[in-house]
Amino acid sequence: MVESNIISSGDMISHTDPKRKSFSGKVIRWLRDHPGFNLIVLFPTFLAIFYYGCVASPQYVSHAYFVVRGAGAQTPNMLGGLIPGMGGSGSTEDTYAVQTYMMSRDAARTLIQSQNLRSVFNHPDADFLARFPTFFRGNTFEHFFSYYQKHIIAELDTTTGISSLTVRTFSPQDSQRIGRALIDAGEHLVNEMNARQRQNTIASSQKEVAAAEEKIRSIGLQIADYRNKQKLLDPLKQSVPMLRDIDQLKAMLTATRLKVAQVTKFAPDTPLLPVYQRRIEVLKAEIAQAQGDITGSSSSLVPKITEYDDLVTQKEVAERELVTATVSLQAAKVQADRQQLYLDGVAQPDLPDYPEYPHAIADILIVLATGLGIYAMGILLISGAREHQIH
C-alpha cells in the first residue's frame, strides 16, 4: 500500500514538473529574447523595490493649521462665498501673503540661521537620494530653495478660509520644530504688516498736523515782527480809546453848538457867544486830528489794523485747521487699531507618530506602470516603422 502511494505521487510529480519547467523556460526565453523589456521595465522596478525596501529613509510630516484675520475684516456673506472676489478679499490677500512668505527665500534663510535647517535636511539617518545635498543636486542656495519648496508646503482652503502648513523632514521632532518656527515667522510678518499698515494710515494725518503747527508758528513770528516794527501790541485794542475820545469830542461839539444856538436866539449880544464859537473851532480841530490819527494818512491806524487783522485771521484759520487735523489723526489711529491683523493658530504643529513618506508601494507601481508604458510605446513605434518599410 505504501509503495503504491509513493509510485502514484511520483507519477504526479513526473506529470507536473515538465509543465512548470516549460512555463518558466518560456518566461526565461521570452525575457532573453526581449532585452528591452528587462532594461526598461524590470530593471527600474527592481531598483525601486531595492531602494524603497532597503535604502529609503522614513520621512515624517508635521501638520499645522492657521487663519489670518483682522478686527476690521468683514465676514464673508453667502453671496461673497458664491461669487469670487466678493467678501473677505482683504483677509484672503493677507493669508496669501503669509503663505507666500513661508515658502519664500527669506523664510528659508531665516530658518537656516535660527533652526540650522541645512543640517535638518542633511540628517545622518537620511538616505543618499532623499537628503540635501546629493551627488546629483548642487549645494548652492538656489538648489536648497528648490529642495525646501518640496518639503515645506503652505496652502489655503478657499472653502473654509483655513491655511494648512506641512513640514516634511527625517525626524518627527525636527518636523514639529520647523513647523513651530514657521508659525512664529508668520506671526512676526503679520506684526510687521500691522506696523506698516498703521504707519501708512496715520502718516498723512500726522503730516497735516505738522503742517498746521508749522503754519501757526510762522504766523506767530509774523505777528511778533509786526508788533516790533509798528511798536503796537494790538492796534484793534489800542484804537478803542481813540474812538472813545472822538465820540466824547463829538458830544462836546454837539453840546456847544446847542448853546451857541440858544445864546444867538435869546442873548445875541452876550460876550459868551465868541467863546462858544471859539470852542467849536477847537473841538472841530481836535476831532479832525483824532480822526487823522486813525484814518486818512499813511501813519494812521487803519492800514496797521488791516495788516494786523489779516494776520489774526490767518492764525485763526490755521488753528481751526490744526484742530481738524488733530481730530483726523485720532480717527486714523482708531481706524488703524481696528484694522490690526492676527494670525490665529487653529492647530499647532503636531508630533508625527509614524512616517508618511515614502509611499513605497505606490511609487514602485508608478515605476512599473511607467516602464510598461514606455516599452509599449516603443513596441508600437517599431512595429509602425517596420510596416512602413514593408509597404
Side-chain angles (χ1 to χ4, degrees):
M1 186 68 178
V2 174
E3 293 179 356
S4 62
N5 292 334
I6 293 174
I7 293 173
S8 61
S9 62
D11 294 338
M12 291 175 64
I13 294 173
S14 63
H15 283 89
T16 56
D17 285 346
K19 292 183 180 180
R20 292 180 179 178
K21 289 181 180 180
S22 61
F23 176 75
S24 60
K26 289 180 180 179
V27 171
I28 294 173
R29 285 194 299 272
W30 188 89
L31 294 176
R32 189 182 304 161
D33 295 338
H34 297 81
F37 182 83
N38 299 330
L39 180 64
I40 298 174
V41 180
L42 292 185
F43 182 68
T45 303
F46 286 145
L47 282 180
I49 293 173
F50 173 76
Y51 172 74
Y52 288 109
C54 303
V55 179
S57 302
Q59 300 181 32
Y60 299 85
V61 178
S62 177
H63 300 272
Y65 302 92
F66 62 91
V67 293
V68 178
R69 58 187 178 185
Q74 296 180 354
T75 304
N77 52 23
M78 183 179 297
L79 184 60
L82 295 176
I83 301 177
M86 291 186 62
S89 59
S91 178
T92 303
E93 292 175 358
D94 297 327
T95 302
Y96 281 128
V98 174
Q99 291 179 185
T100 303
Y101 172 75
M102 287 182 174
M103 299 185 63
S104 67
R105 290 174 172 82
D106 293 340
R109 291 190 180 95
T110 301
L111 292 177
I112 290 175
Q113 297 175 358
S114 62
Q115 304 296 326
N116 197 10
L117 189 60
R118 281 183 176 268
S119 64
V120 171
F121 289 141
N122 193 16
H123 198 274
D125 297 334
D127 63 83
F128 66 97
L129 292 179
R131 69 174 59 182
F132 180 88
T134 58
F135 64 90
F136 62 87
R137 185 185 291 115
N139 196 21
T140 65
F141 180 78
E142 290 301 324
H143 292 93
F144 176 82
F145 180 64
S146 177
Y147 183 90
Y148 172 88
Q149 286 186 313
K150 296 177 182 178
H151 291 73
I152 308 292
I153 300 175
E155 296 177 330
L156 172 65
D157 187 346
T158 56
T159 303
T160 61
I162 299 176
S163 299
S164 62
L165 173 65
T166 58
V167 179
R168 176 159 57 103
T169 68
F170 302 99
S171 168
Q173 292 78 13
D174 288 340
S175 296
Q176 185 183 42
R177 178 168 57 87
I178 299 302
R180 288 176 176 174
L182 279 173
I183 294 295
D184 293 340
E187 291 181 352
H188 181 69
L189 175 65
V190 168
N191 293 334
E192 290 183 348
M193 293 170 62
N194 285 332
R196 288 195 298 268
Q197 182 181 7
R198 181 181 178 84
Q199 182 178 1
N200 294 334
T201 301
I202 67 178
S204 59
S205 298
Q206 287 178 336
K207 290 180 180 179
E208 293 179 359
V209 171
E213 291 176 346
E214 181 63 26
K215 188 175 181 180
I216 291 176
R217 283 193 295 268
S218 177
I219 296 174
L221 293 175
Q222 293 179 21
I223 293 175
D225 292 339
Y226 170 83
R227 287 171 175 170
N228 292 328
K229 181 180 178 181
Q230 301 296 335
K231 298 180 180 180
L232 292 173
L233 185 62
D234 190 341
L236 291 173
K237 293 182 179 179
Q238 289 179 277
S239 64
V240 172
M242 299 176 67
L243 293 173
R244 188 182 301 113
D245 293 340
I246 292 174
D247 291 338
Q248 291 177 356
L249 290 173
K250 288 181 178 181
M252 293 172 64
L253 177 61
T254 302
T256 303
R257 284 176 175 175
L258 289 174
K259 288 180 179 181
V260 169
Q262 291 176 357
V263 169
T264 302
K265 183 176 181 181
F266 295 105
D269 297 330
T270 181
L272 294 176
L273 183 59
V275 176
Y276 289 147
Q277 291 177 347
R278 179 59 181 169
R279 182 181 295 180
I280 290 173
E281 293 177 359
V282 172
L283 289 173
K284 287 182 178 180
E286 291 294 332
I287 291 173
Q289 184 178 358
Q291 289 178 343
D293 292 337
I294 298 177
T295 61
S297 65
S298 59
S299 61
S300 62
L301 286 177
V302 171
K304 299 176 182 179
I305 293 174
T306 303
E307 183 178 357
Y308 182 79
D309 189 50
D310 181 59
L311 292 174
V312 171
T313 302
Q314 293 180 17
K315 185 178 180 181
E316 292 176 352
V317 172
E319 289 175 348
R320 287 195 291 268
E321 291 177 354
L322 177 59
V323 172
T324 303
T326 304
V327 173
S328 299
L329 177 60
Q330 297 299 326
K333 290 181 179 179
V334 173
Q335 184 67 17
D337 292 336
R338 290 179 179 177
Q339 293 179 352
Q340 292 292 312
L341 299 174
Y342 303 92
L343 191 150
D344 289 340
V346 178
Q348 295 299 320
D350 58 347
L351 184 66
D353 296 326
Y354 58 89
E356 292 189 22
Y357 290 91
H359 300 152
I361 297 177
D363 291 342
I364 292 172
L365 292 177
I366 290 174
V367 171
L368 177 61
T370 303
L372 289 174
I374 294 174
Y375 181 76
M377 290 177 61
I379 293 297
L380 292 175
L381 291 175
I382 295 172
S383 299
R386 288 178 179 176
E387 291 180 359
H388 181 72
Q389 290 178 355
I390 294 173
H391 292 292

